[in-house]
Amino acid sequence: MLATGNLTLNHVLAHRAEVDADRIALIFESTDGRWTELSYGDLHERAGRLAAGLARSGVGKGDHVVLHMVNRPEFVVGLFAIARLGAIATPTIASYAIDELQYVLEHAEVASIICDPGRLEVATQAAKLSSGKTPEVICTDDLATYMRDDEPPAVDVAASDPAVLMYSSGTTARPKGVVLSHQALVLSGEVNAQHQRLRPDDRSLCVLPLFHINAMSLSLLCAVVTGSTLVLAEAFDATRYWAQVRTYGITVGSLVANPIRQLMQLPEQSRDARHSLRMMLFGMALADAEIDEFERRYAVPLINLWGMTEDATIGTRCPPYLPRNPRSIGLPQTGIDIAVFDAEDREVPAGQPGEARYIGSPRLEEYYRDPDITAATNRDGRFCTGDTMMMDELGYFYFLDRTKDVIKVKAENVASAEVERVLTTHQAVSDAAVVGVPDTWRDERIVAFVQVVPGQSVDAEELRAHCLDSLARFKVPHEVHFVDEFPRTSIGKIRKNELRDKAKDGQG
């Protein structure tokens, strides 16, 4: 039996509503500065009413319901309403193009879409184009009239039942669907809350998007399991961040590398260190000098971490009280055993790089409708992360690289194969290869190398515009270079390492 027993998301929220009905669960601040708040009693009541409305429209246990929106209270209400019915919440990246959302709708056989007004047109078009039954599209502006006053149907939901289906970019041309159970989410919230030493009087600021596991787990779920308050911003704004920290009395923050760099670019002020933050969680690499300067200027420790959608973010953490060593990604979380292996599946000693593989919980139930990849990522009971790491003599891990061909752009994962797929749909392109190279502003920039069909012509801006028709803006190549032929291996694979070196040297 795991640490959270057989508890589901439904048990956790019902408990909060029973013992902390009047405690503030959520404070939401929109980009125009307006704010609203919900108590735990409010959240439980609204989730029940929305569950009743979804049930009336035909949503039942096992159905997939997409949450397609930026940060807003309806995402949180929707997540718990869907869980109440034993249905499966399917968060999608808010900037998805029609083609990308259509893929998810078809792959997950989605029953309904809940979207905000800014994404209504894309959601409507994707629903119309999807094969099979057309999903119902519900705009958050209409949610109040959609919700029912009657009780939702009683549904037997087990901890082992799937709670969310999250699409994670990987090495394939299309994202993979990661299935996480109720138990995985509750355990993730509990373990992460313990690491953060959260108390009911804490306030966490969430500016990262809830449609990613980072914000859902490290911020939202941690708050609900502890009865603390989540302050949810519609979007990250460096110029407003510290005002939000001070206004709402924030004690725990969570960012990734790019927002931290934006905060460092603000003009230095004498009040920079005057705030209530006691911990700033961060993921993705920062330079030693950046870590030192941030901690000096803002007087808050940076707590490095590593996790994946597949492990519901329960990976490694720098301990808050033991030696932190913020240059590393820390030590394995409670219940996780991580080891480093070489290409021959042999565990390697400290100081040698290899692929990180782990056993323990939580972890994905499966890659949705993909048993081959599910099987391939498990070796002797260990999950193969696809990430290259090294462990030192004290057991601290260091992230070195991704063995998966994924490019990280401002904390978003971009599968190079997905961009290549879109590039090669242009009539003038015979082949394409996409690589990522380090970029101080974007984390990595996307560089495309393109081979043109003989006798045809196309320029870089035309190809970028072509990509924008099918991809979210952050996936569009920042640079496009043309080649007469690609460097290839003996079996015909493109040598991306050579292309990456050219891009780094500016020789594209």
Side-chain angles (χ1 to χ4, degrees):
M1 181 63 68
L2 297 178
T4 53
N6 291 319
L7 295 175
T8 67
L9 292 178
N10 302 327
H11 291 119
V12 174
L13 183 58
H15 174 68
R16 288 272 74 85
E18 180 181 357
V19 302
D20 290 320
D22 296 328
R23 183 183 293 276
I24 298 174
L26 178 70
I27 299 174
F28 171 70
E29 184 180 288
S30 64
T31 52
D32 58 8
R34 292 178 297 164
W35 63 275
T36 56
E37 64 180 45
L38 291 177
S39 68
Y40 278 105
D42 294 332
L43 178 56
H44 186 256
E45 182 263 339
R46 292 192 188 189
R49 292 181 59 209
L50 178 55
L54 290 172
R56 184 67 64 94
S57 71
V59 175
K61 185 172 184 179
D63 287 334
H64 293 105
V65 179
V66 159
L67 296 171
H68 189 59
M69 63 188 79
V70 295
N71 285 355
R72 50 194 303 147
E74 291 88 348
F75 186 104
V76 181
V77 172
L79 176 69
F80 285 99
I82 295 163
R84 187 85 169 261
L85 297 175
I88 303 164
T90 307
T92 48
I93 295 175
S95 57
Y96 265 171
I98 293 172
D99 175 72
E100 294 167 305
L101 183 57
Q102 179 188 346
Y103 171 77
V104 172
L105 300 182
E106 293 177 347
H107 187 257
E109 300 173 313
V110 168
S112 300
I113 308 168
I114 304 175
C115 66
D116 62 35
R119 272 129 290 274
L120 179 59
E121 182 177 354
V122 168
T124 302
Q125 291 301 316
K128 287 180 179 178
L129 292 171
S130 62
S131 59
K133 183 180 178 180
T134 302
E136 179 182 18
V137 179
I138 306 165
C139 182
T140 54
D141 279 356
D142 302 323
L143 216 52
T145 57
Y146 186 86
M147 296 165 76
R148 310 288 300 185
D149 289 329
D150 48 321
E151 280 291 314
V155 181
D156 184 16
V157 181
S160 58
D161 287 340
V164 297
L165 172 61
M166 307 191 82
Y167 280 83
S168 174
S169 293
T171 58
T172 56
R174 289 294 195 178
K176 302 188 296 293
V178 177
V179 180
L180 295 171
S181 67
H182 280 260
Q183 187 175 60
L185 296 187
V186 176
L187 186 60
S188 176
E190 174 69 13
V191 173
N192 280 312
Q194 290 177 7
H195 170 261
Q196 296 172 30
R197 308 305 197 260
L198 279 188
R199 294 162 44 96
D201 56 354
D202 273 311
R203 288 190 164 193
S204 301
L205 177 58
C206 178
V207 297
L208 301 178
L210 285 173
F211 52 70
H212 284 321
I213 193 64
N214 182 313
M216 182 186 291
S217 177
L218 296 176
S219 299
L220 172 59
L221 296 178
C222 286
V224 177
V225 300
T226 57
S228 55
T229 298
L230 178 69
V231 178
L232 179 67
E234 185 173 340
F236 171 73
D237 182 343
T239 64
R240 296 170 65 178
Y241 188 84
W242 292 111
Q244 291 166 332
V245 167
R246 296 183 181 100
T247 298
Y248 299 111
I250 301 301
T251 55
V252 176
S254 179
L255 294 174
V256 289
N258 182 264
I260 288 176
R261 293 188 178 112
Q262 292 187 47
L263 293 178
M264 295 290 288
Q265 292 172 1
L266 296 173
E268 189 162 358
Q269 300 181 19
S270 59
R271 63 173 182 168
D272 281 346
R274 299 175 193 162
H275 53 71
S276 50
L277 270 181
R278 59 178 174 79
M279 177 186 298
M280 177 69 81
L281 305 169
F282 84 99
M284 300 172 54
L286 290 171
D288 290 358
E290 292 174 317
I291 294 172
D292 292 340
E293 177 60 17
F294 186 92
E295 294 188 340
R296 179 202 67 78
R297 177 174 169 182
Y298 293 113
V300 60
L302 282 170
I303 306 296
N304 200 354
L305 57 87
W306 168 85
M308 310 172 68
T309 304
E310 287 86 344
D311 65 17
T313 74
I314 302 296
T316 63
R317 300 287 184 274
C318 282
Y321 301 119
L322 295 173
R324 275 196 297 127
N325 195 358
R327 278 77 181 173
S328 80
I329 55 173
L331 301 166
Q333 286 271 62
T334 301
I336 294 291
D337 179 345
I338 302 178
V340 179
F341 290 81
D342 63 18
E344 284 72 43
D345 299 330
R346 297 172 300 197
E347 186 172 349
V348 301
Q352 293 188 21
E355 182 186 32
R357 302 177 186 175
Y358 79 89
I359 53 176
S361 295
R363 62 192 285 180
L364 80 164
E365 300 299 307
E366 63 174 342
Y367 286 110
Y368 187 64
R369 294 175 62 183
D370 205 332
D372 291 341
I373 293 181
T374 301
T377 53
N378 284 275
R379 301 274 183 89
D380 299 323
R382 287 186 178 268
F383 178 77
C384 303
T385 67
D387 288 341
T388 302
M389 298 186 191
M390 184 178 67
M391 184 184 72
D392 67 18
E393 293 292 342
L394 293 178
Y396 286 79
F397 283 81
Y398 298 79
F399 180 89
L400 302 177
D401 201 355
R402 285 178 297 276
T403 53
K404 300 175 182 178
D405 197 3
V406 175
I407 303 166
K408 186 75 76 172
V409 181
K410 292 186 177 180
E412 297 284 1
N413 286 335
V414 179
S416 62
E418 185 177 23
V419 184
E420 290 160 359
R421 175 185 62 82
V422 173
L423 283 168
T424 54
T425 62
H426 192 285
Q427 62 180 6
V429 175
S430 64
D431 206 351
V434 173
V435 298
V437 295
D439 186 286
T440 56
W441 179 249
R442 304 181 183 94
D443 298 315
E444 289 184 291
R445 69 181 183 275
I446 303 171
V447 181
F449 291 84
V450 172
Q451 191 172 17
V452 178
V453 174
Q456 299 213 30
S457 63
V458 64
D459 61 27
E461 286 310 306
E462 182 179 346
L463 287 178
R464 284 170 46 80
H466 174 74
C467 288
L468 192 57
D469 287 340
S470 299
L471 297 171
R473 184 174 295 276
F474 69 85
K475 298 179 182 179
V476 175
H478 303 107
E479 299 174 23
V480 178
H481 303 291
F482 297 91
V483 297
D484 294 327
E485 60 182 11
F486 285 108
R488 296 181 183 273
T489 67
S490 60
I491 59 173
K493 288 187 177 181
I494 295 175
R495 296 184 183 275
K496 284 194 173 182
N497 59 321
E498 295 185 20
L499 300 179
R500 193 174 289 109
D501 290 340
K502 285 184 176 182
K504 288 179 181 178
D505 296 335
Q507 299 174 10

